[in-house]
Amino acid sequence: MSALMLEKGSVMKTLLGLYRQHRFEFIVACAAMILLVIVVLPLVEIGSRPVFGQGVSGSINYVRHATLWFGFLGAVIAARAKRHISLGVSAFLTGRGKTLADTIATTLAVITCLVLANAALNMVIAEQSSEVLLGGMLPLWMAQSVMPLCFILLAYQYFRQLMQLLDVKKLVVLAVCISLMIYFVDIESSYFLPLGLVVILVSTLAGAPIFVVLGSLAALLFAVDDVPLASISVEAYRIASNPILPTIPLFTLAGTVLAAGDASSRLVRLFQAWVGWMPGGTAVAAICVCAFFTTFTGGSGVTILALGGLMLPVLIKQGYNGSFSLGVLTSSGSLGILLPPSLLIILYGVASQTPINQLFVAGFVPGLMLISMICGYAIYKARSTREKKEVFKLANALRALWDSKWEVLLPVGVLYGIFSGRATLVEVAAVAAAYTLFVEFVVHRDIKIKADLAGIFKECAIMVGGIMIIIASAMGLTSYLIFADVPSIAAELIQSVTNSPWVFLLALNGFLLVAGCLLDIISAIVVVVPLMLPVAAEFGIDPVHLGIIFLANMELGYLTPPVGMNLYLASFRFDKPIMSVFRASLPFFLLNLIAVLVITFVPAISVGVVEWFNL
């Protein structure tokens, strides 16, 4: 027995030693193992039903909570990589101005993460008295413990960044100033809320991560109303109760694997072979490939980053001018978000509790309409280019189709799985993730397991972590706004001005356009949608129709300053000033605006299709 204890002790010492030496790699490895669990468990569920007549007991709960762990660990990895979504001007500053902005933003990040860690810890402590077991085995508080743990790790990561910005003397002065402010500022005083809002606004402009802004705002509002801050964590934890949640990492993994492999080249050759003969064929091929990738990457920017370097030289070589080429690639980076299995449609369905299959069907025609309009403009512009049209050869087209058959079959299989009823959406997503891994690693061998797999899992963790931590922080803020009865107040205010649903829809488009200018799409979905639904219901707007309107407006927001994500990503990818990117994207912005108005005032192309399918 003593020998066994010594052996266990030595093993623990070895593990602790490895952790101290490779803390970050340890977190990445944990996230990768959890992601494998998220992929494998639904597959086991699919296989066990025909054999044993039932699935694995409690597997969906394990998968949901594994997603919670993966998302929060991914948030830590994203913080280490400095990849959290943020707004502000720090990216355009240099010298002391940038140092000051980064110091302000990072300081708020440290404080907010510590506050949220304390709130999450209180929730976990309260849950310890409960006898609820996850899957009948694991105490629920153990599953929840990832939240305080990761908020502490996030605070640590941001503190490390603060140490890189300031020397020891400045850090001490900053700590003393913050301590004095906390000591002397009275929460019950009339100036506490305005002062807190000013601090958050300044930090936002300085470049604080979106999740920090939302989390600090929620903490401030709850503190002013003397509501326990553990309420924020309770609301954030609610995301783990949603059965659709695991589709986020699964479809993200599929998109990340496709982007890492050579799928983009095969798809470019496919579309060029089939449409390269027509005027604007090269641009149409680029648009279609971008839309395909955006469908699986959720408009996360992967499309622009992965395909931009590949397609820009091709377009310019074919005679398109630089401005048009830049605009078409920037706008195409968000074209597929209305097509299944778009991650953003899933997020909207989660936030609004709207059936995902109905949203997929409703977005199909509007999504194709948007793609067709952009393609039509590309064909129009091709008249003034010296594009070298390819001669259509059926043999070449069929060969390109055969070479890309595995990628072409992916959306077909996903759609069949979703609408056949043979599997849940999570199981379909797991199959899609496993399928892409098999195709890229085994069939095409574009990616090597030893050399590339860890990097792919890390990139997936960063993307999912960035999304999940925003959702978790936004849930707390949304809860407060509902607690303050903001939807009812907004409905009464709008109804006092007009009773016309058409006027409301027009005003809604204006509001969403502004929201798209000021918010990133993920926080907009989680914060705005729950507030918008009750107001829209008063005017008889179908929630499915509302969802397509919302997402179409957010797609427009990708091209709208000051927060248009595609503008920033294209500016970074192509090394162009952001206003040059916006000017190049302006024709496509106007086309998107026309499409938004058509989607808004012709509900037959969205809701009508759902009714036609009797969903």
Side-chain angles (χ1 to χ4, degrees), residues 469-482:
I469 198 70
I470 289 176
I471 295 174
S473 300
M475 291 283 283
L477 179 59
T478 303
S479 173
Y480 175 83
L481 295 175
I482 293 174

Side-chain angles (χ1 to χ4, degrees), residues 112 115-116 192 214-224 227 229 232:
T112 301
V115 169
L116 294 178
F192 178 77
L214 296 173
S216 59
L217 186 56
L220 175 67
L221 295 172
F222 274 116
V224 168
V227 178
L229 295 184
I232 301 173

